[in-house]
């Protein structure tokens, strides 16, 4: 079934490269490969889930249009998918979302509504506003990550990765995935569990926003405090999606938190060595190797780098730190 999902996406998505990270390989005395999902259409894996979700809708549902909330990358992916499939897209985005992501969604034809409210959290406020808008305009309400069809769509990253590993005759003992709401790590862990590869999947989160990690530790859905300052704007969900958490719990995913220092170092390393321009959220899994090299000593590791939609000013600021 997962291969069929990938095949449905193929006419619309790009095959993203699997790169060798030589300095990280030396650091862990093993082999590190980087799945450069930042080179996917719209700069993030979110496009895969968005296009698949719209493809599963009936013609009548597509005619109604869709409404969703997002801080940026899902918004951009959904806007692009809507443009391709001629589906009207309304997006609720936090007013403090990166300006380049807001402008990009609008250029792709989506109607963007900015949410000024930040209490009880900017995510909850934006979700509530999107629910109100969908009720008013009769559109189909989509959740950016807590949606079984979107999780299936994200599993295509794993399907493509497995094919590439087979072509390279390479192993993957550990897979490191960034986690916001958890759809990517859920989709990938579902894929690797289905194929019984023996791969240990890790969900990587910023310190202070490790809702998935905390939920795994207490074995129930939980919320992170969300008080730390972080450049990882795409990973600031304080609690994972329910559907994602259930998949992650059942497939034995482990969690790691990464400090801001190592996130910045990962952005720098990705550009200097891999020639990838990554936003902090997209570089965080690389940061996990920098922060915890001994945990992966001697292993064959694959890191998913996703999210290349960084503001130019912020990129220059981080590169000069």
């Amino acid at each position: 079934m997962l291969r069929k999902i990938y095949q449905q996406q193929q006419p619309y998505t790009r095959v993203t490269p699997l790169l060798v990270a030589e300095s990280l390989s030396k650091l862990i005395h093993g082999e590190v490969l980087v799945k450069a999902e930042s080179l996917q259409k719209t700069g993030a894996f979110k496009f895969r889930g968005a296009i698949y979700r719209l493809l599963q809708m009936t013609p009548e549902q597509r005619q109604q249009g869709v409404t969703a909330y997002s801080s940026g990358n899902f918004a951009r992916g959904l806007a692009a998918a809507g443009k391709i499939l001629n589906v009207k897209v309304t997006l609720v985005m936090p007013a403090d979302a990166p300006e380049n992501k807001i402008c990009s969604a609008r250029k792709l034809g989506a109607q963007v509504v900015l949410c000024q409210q930040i209490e009880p959290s900017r995510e909850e406020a934006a979700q509530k506003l999107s629910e109100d808008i969908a009720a008013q305009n009769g559109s189909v309400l989509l959740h950016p990550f807590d949606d079984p069809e979107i999780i299936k769509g994200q599993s295509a990253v794993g399907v493509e990765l497995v094919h590439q590993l087979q072509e390279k005759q390479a192993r993957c003992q550990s897979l490191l995935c960034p986690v916001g709401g958890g759809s990517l790590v859920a989709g990938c862990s579902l894929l690797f569990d289905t194929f019984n590869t023996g791969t240990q999947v890790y969900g990587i989160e910023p310190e202070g926003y490790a809702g998935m990690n905390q939920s795994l530790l207490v074995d129930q859905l939980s919320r992170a405090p969300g008080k730390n300052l972080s450049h990882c704007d795409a990973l600031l969900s304080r609690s994972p999606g329910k559907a994602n958490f259930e998949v992650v719990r059942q497939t034995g995913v482990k969690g790691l938190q990464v400090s801001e220092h190592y996130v910045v170092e990962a952005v720098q390393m990705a550009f200097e060595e891999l020639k990838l321009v990554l936003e902090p959220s997209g570089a965080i899994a690389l940061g996990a190797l920098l922060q915890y090299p001994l945990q992966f000593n001697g292993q064959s590791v694959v890191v998913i780098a996703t999210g290349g939609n960084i503001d130019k000013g912020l990129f220059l600021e981080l590169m000069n730190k």
Side-chain angles (χ1 to χ4, degrees):
M1 182 188 79
L2 296 177
R3 283 200 176 100
K4 185 177 180 181
I5 291 169
Y6 178 63
Q7 290 167 354
Q8 285 184 275
Q9 289 182 15
Q10 275 188 301
Y12 307 98
T13 59
R14 294 175 184 157
V15 175
T16 56
L18 192 58
L19 310 174
V20 177
E22 294 181 0
S23 66
L24 286 175
S25 296
K26 291 177 182 177
L27 178 67
I28 68 164
H29 306 287
E31 182 181 43
V32 178
L33 299 174
V34 178
K35 178 66 169 162
E37 270 294 295
S38 57
L39 301 179
Q40 186 52 258
K41 286 183 181 178
T42 73
F45 74 95
K46 296 284 190 178
F47 178 73
R48 294 184 188 263
I51 194 74
Y52 182 75
R53 183 65 177 84
L54 295 191
L55 286 169
Q56 303 317 298
M57 294 172 65
T58 65
E60 292 75 20
Q61 288 174 324
R62 290 189 205 173
Q63 186 65 34
Q64 290 174 251
V66 296
T67 297
Y69 73 92
S70 168
S71 64
N73 285 332
F74 181 73
R76 190 171 182 177
L78 186 60
K83 185 175 183 179
I84 291 169
L85 298 177
N86 196 29
V87 177
K88 182 180 178 181
V89 174
T90 302
L91 296 165
V92 175
M93 301 182 70
D96 62 351
E99 184 64 27
N100 65 317
K101 294 183 179 181
I102 295 172
C103 291
S104 175
R106 283 177 170 151
K107 285 179 181 178
L108 287 165
Q111 179 185 354
V112 177
V113 178
L114 297 181
C115 180
Q116 304 289 340
Q117 184 182 347
I118 59 172
E119 295 296 338
S121 73
R122 72 174 194 162
E123 178 186 346
E124 290 177 18
Q127 181 177 357
K128 177 63 169 60
L129 182 54
S130 67
E131 291 170 354
D132 292 343
I133 290 172
Q136 291 170 9
N137 64 18
S139 59
V140 178
L141 180 67
L142 300 183
H143 195 287
F145 52 80
D146 198 8
D147 183 313
E149 297 304 318
I150 287 175
I151 297 172
K152 291 176 186 176
Q154 312 303 17
S155 72
V157 177
V159 175
E160 189 170 281
L161 174 56
V162 167
H163 289 166
Q164 292 171 314
L165 289 170
Q166 290 171 344
E167 288 173 358
K168 290 178 177 288
Q169 296 184 324
R171 293 191 302 160
C172 177
Q173 292 171 285
S174 293
L175 175 68
L176 278 57
C177 297
V179 174
S183 60
L184 177 63
V185 72
C188 287
S189 66
L190 182 65
L191 181 282
F192 277 84
D193 187 67
T194 299
F195 282 87
N196 194 25
T197 60
T199 300
Q200 176 61 61
V201 179
Y202 290 84
I204 314 300
E205 297 172 287
E207 285 185 350
Y209 293 90
M212 182 69 82
N213 186 21
Q214 187 168 315
S215 298
L216 289 170
L217 288 174
V218 300
D219 199 33
Q220 64 181 11
L221 207 59
S222 183
R223 291 177 64 83
K227 294 182 179 179
N228 296 30
L229 292 175
S230 175
H231 285 112
C232 299
D233 62 272
L235 305 180
L236 301 185
S237 298
R238 292 166 58 189
S239 182
K242 293 179 182 178
N244 299 325
F245 174 63
E246 286 305 317
V247 171
V248 162
R249 180 166 61 174
Q250 290 169 17
T251 53
V253 173
K254 295 181 180 179
L256 287 174
Q257 300 183 51
V258 177
S259 71
E260 195 73 2
H261 169 79
Y262 287 103
V263 169
V264 173
E265 193 174 322
V267 171
Q268 296 169 345
M269 187 279 297
F271 179 72
E272 291 166 357
E273 180 180 341
L274 301 172
K275 309 308 174 189
L276 293 176
V277 175
L278 297 178
E279 59 190 278
S281 301
I284 193 170
L286 291 169
L289 280 182
L290 294 171
Q291 188 166 347
Y292 306 103
L294 294 179
Q295 185 157 341
F296 302 98
N297 189 55
Q299 291 191 25
S300 297
V301 179
V302 176
V303 177
I304 298 182
T306 180
N309 300 314
I310 186 170
D311 175 78
K312 181 170 64 175
L314 176 59
F315 180 71
L316 292 174
E317 176 190 331
L318 299 183
M319 289 301 296
N320 289 321
K321 280 196 172 185

